Each structure stands twice: as C-alpha cells, then as structure tokens.
Amino acid sequence: MTDFSNFTAPGINNLHPYVPGKPIEELERELGLSGTIKLASNENPLGPSPLGRKAAAESIAGINLYPDDSGYRLKAKLAAKYGLAPEQLVLGAGSSDVIDMVARTFLSPGGNAVFSRYGFAMYPIYTTAAGAQCRVADALPAEHKDMPYGHDLEAMAALVDEGTRVVFVANPNNPTGTWLEAGVLRTFLQDLPEEVIVVLDEAYTEYVTEPDFPNGVAWLAEFPNLLVTRTFSKIYGLAGLRIGYGMANAALIDLIGRVRHPFNVNTPALAAAEAALDDETFLQRSRNTNTAGLVQLASGFSSMGLSWIPSIGNFITVNVQRDGTQVYQQLLKKGVIVRPVANYDLPEHVRVTVGTEMENQRFLDALQEVLEA
Ligand SMILES: Cc1ncc(COP(=O)(O)O)c(C=O)c1O
C-alpha cells in the first residue's frame, strides 16, 4: 500500500496531536464508575454562565441558518468593552483557533516560533503543522525563588533571530500557572524587532487577582506587533461551545482573518458569549470559588508534604514525587480525572483544575489514598 507519509505537507510527520483531558463519560464507560469528577481541562466547575446558557438555548431556533460570519454583535460588544474598533477583533472557535490562524498566517518552512519550555501545548503543534521550527527557551529553574518553571523572557529574546515570525507568551501559563509582571513584559515587547508577532495568550486573565498583572489590551496601541488572545472557555464556562477571540491592530487582524474558516464560530456560541459578557455575578462567584480553591488545594498539598508550582490560574501543578502518570491512573480508578503532564516534561507532576470545595476535597482525599497505598 502507498505510504502516504511520504506525501504529507512539511511538518505533519513530526506532529504529536494534542492529548485532551479524559471525558467523564469515557472513564465511566471504561471502568464502570459513576459520580466521577473531572478536574482535567481547566473548565469552570460552576457550570456555564447562566446568562450565556439561556442565550444559547434561545438561539437554537435559528440553527437552520448559518451563523453571522462577521460576529457583528459580539464584536461590537467586545470593542465597546475594551475601547477598540470592531476591526481590531477576530473571533475563533476557541482562542486556540485564533492561535492557529496566526500560525497559518505567519509561519512556514524556514521560519520559526519562539516559546518557553512548559509553555502551552498547542504552540508546538501549530508551529510544527505550519512546517516552521520550534525554538524552545529554557524556563526559569525549578529552584527559582519567585517564579519556578516560569517564562524566562531573556532566554526567549535570545532565541529570536531573523527567521522568527512569532513569539508565544502565555500569561498566566498553562500548565505551570506562572506569570509575568507588567514591567518585564513591557520591556520584552519594546526590545523585540517590530516585525515579530507576539501572541500574548490571556486565556486565564479573568481569574487573576494579582495587582501587578498586566492587561495586554492596554498595550495594543503602542505595539502594532502584539496580538492578545482571550477565551470564553474558562471563567465564562462555555468551553463546549468553542469560542474565543484575538485583539490586535486592524492591519494585523485583516491578515489573520484571511485564513479564518468561514462560519468558524457557531450561532449558540455567539449568542452565549454575548450574554455571558454581562454575567458579572457569575464571574465574581467563579473568581471567588477559584481563589478559595487555590488556597484549599495548596494547604492540602502542604499537609501531605508535597510541593507545587504557585499558580494564579484555575489550576495547580503539584509534584507528587513519583511517576505522575501512574498517580493519574490510580486517581482515575477513584473516579477523579486530573491531568498528567509528562508531555510537558514534568513527569513527576500532575495538574489539577480548581473545582468546587467538595471536588477539591474529594481530589485531595483520593490523592492522599493513592500516595499512601
Ligand atoms: C494557555 C491556554 N491558551 C489557550 C487555550 C485554548 O483554549 P480555548 O481554545 O478553549 O479558548 C488554553 C486551553 O486550555 C490554554 O490553557
């Protein structure tokens, strides 16, 4: 039979597909369990935004028609919220769709993208799929006193060369939960060649309560090479609908928009996102649940003698001092789904999403049993 791998586009044969968190239904089917909890994909444990959910349900009556390809209403609302023009926005089927559009617009064989070790897993995938080279900067060391495993911006800048088209910065980063302060990030942007696109991935920004945490949108006017991505998958609780967005200067958005698939964002997603933007009560409740959950998990780890990477996202990555994938598998048997992070070069860690108080406790109890077994 023909070996089709001899005929693929550059990059495809080196591609390792993204491994998503295990779905509850799949685990329950495999192990005959019920009452499983999933703390594996940094989803909102409080469910969808109630306003978003209602709007999505109401929009179903119109799904015989294609969605509004321009995303007119949502873009107008986002533009007003951030003080931007609608032309400065691109909508995606999740923010990962926007990141992919950037890669397909600017990356190709001979070019490269720079990102940090332990950076979000989609950066190497989209870079490789575009046939470009991944230039992976060392992260700050595990012993670093302020930001272990964090992005080392100096190391990243040092990898930028004339072939660099894109730099990916996740703030905060997944799976480490580490972050960059406004001052250092701004200096990094100032020092980069102006033709290098910086994707500032702010998927978790709405959870952050740190005072020194930057808002990338405020820098768009100053840096024409900056593109900020955000999502409705996390705090808004709409991961299943797949909707996110990118913000940049209009000329950059125009280029990226050329590779966008027509009708990439569906009607219920557009309706839900528009409504969820107003759901302040839900956002505040989600943020409070998360802040309390981070404290609860950290204190549980501390009483088990485990260290963890200090996180400001809606997840924490904990060092389980043994094979993390095995711990993950033992937790599965107890009906708790977390995320092994060996694929991120962290073989003795697992990442847990902050759940409700009860879910966090159930995870901590299960982890303790697994570690004592
Ligand atoms: C850092 C980061 N960026 C982007 C995404 C993509 O999310 P979505 O495509 O659902 O917007 C994720 C999802 O986990 C993430 O962790």
Side-chain angles (χ1 to χ4, degrees), residues 64-80:
N64 56 314
L65 303 178
Y66 285 103
D68 171 14
D69 186 55
S70 72
Y72 178 83
R73 291 222 314 260
L74 178 59
K75 278 190 191 168
K77 200 156 178 177
L78 287 168

Side-chain angles (χ1 to χ4, degrees), residues 18 41-42 93-97 99 120 122-123 126 170-175 201-204 229-234 239 242-245 315 339 344 351:
Y18 184 73
S41 301
N42 305 342
S95 57
S96 43
D97 188 25
I99 297 169
F120 179 49
M122 296 310 292
Y123 308 152
Y126 293 140
N171 203 32
N173 182 49
N174 166 27
D201 177 345
E202 296 188 336
Y204 300 95
T229 57
R230 296 200 179 174
T231 183
F232 289 94
S233 300
K234 306 300 175 184
R242 310 304 300 124
I243 178 161
Y245 53 103
F315 52 89
R339 194 70 154 262
Y344 280 99
R351 189 196 69 196

Side-chain angles (χ1 to χ4, degrees), residues 161-320:
D161 66 7
E162 64 285 354
T164 305
R165 295 286 165 271
V166 182
V167 175
F168 293 108
V169 175
N171 203 32
N173 182 49
N174 166 27
T176 56
T178 50
W179 60 285
L180 295 157
E181 288 180 358
V184 285
L185 187 50
R186 194 159 174 283
T187 306
F188 175 76
L189 290 168
Q190 275 169 334
D191 292 348
L192 276 181
E194 57 192 24
E195 71 278 10
V196 173
I197 310 297
V198 179
V199 174
L200 180 57
D201 177 345
E202 296 188 336
Y204 300 95
T205 193
E206 298 88 352
Y207 280 110
V208 175
T209 55
E210 290 291 330
D212 256 351
F213 190 77
N215 167 15
V217 183
W219 291 333
L220 289 177
E222 188 180 354
F223 299 107
N225 58 334
L226 176 64
L227 184 131
V228 177
T229 57
R230 296 200 179 174
T231 183
F232 289 94
S233 300
K234 306 300 175 184
I235 205 165
Y236 294 96
L238 302 176
L241 287 176
R242 310 304 300 124
I243 178 161
Y245 53 103
M247 296 169 279
N249 82 78
L252 192 50
I253 292 295
D254 171 53
L255 290 172
I256 290 158
R258 297 180 192 190
V259 302
R260 183 178 63 84
H261 299 294
F263 309 114
N264 61 329
V265 181
N266 65 72
T267 301
L270 289 168
E274 196 189 326
L277 280 175
D278 292 329
D279 211 340
E280 264 314 315
T281 316
F282 178 74
L283 296 186
Q284 196 53 48
R285 197 157 65 85
S286 301
R287 204 173 293 119
N288 293 345
T289 303
N290 192 61
T291 306
L294 285 170
V295 173
Q296 184 189 2
L297 288 168
S299 123
F301 297 148
S302 162
S303 58
M304 282 183 245
L306 300 176
S307 63
W308 64 94
I309 308 175
S311 168
I312 60 167
N314 67 341
F315 52 89
I316 309 193
T317 293
V318 56
N319 185 335
V320 289

Side-chain angles (χ1 to χ4, degrees), residues 30 86 90 104 130 150 182-183 239 250 256 276 371:
E30 283 172 9
V90 61
R104 285 187 290 123
I256 290 158
L371 297 183

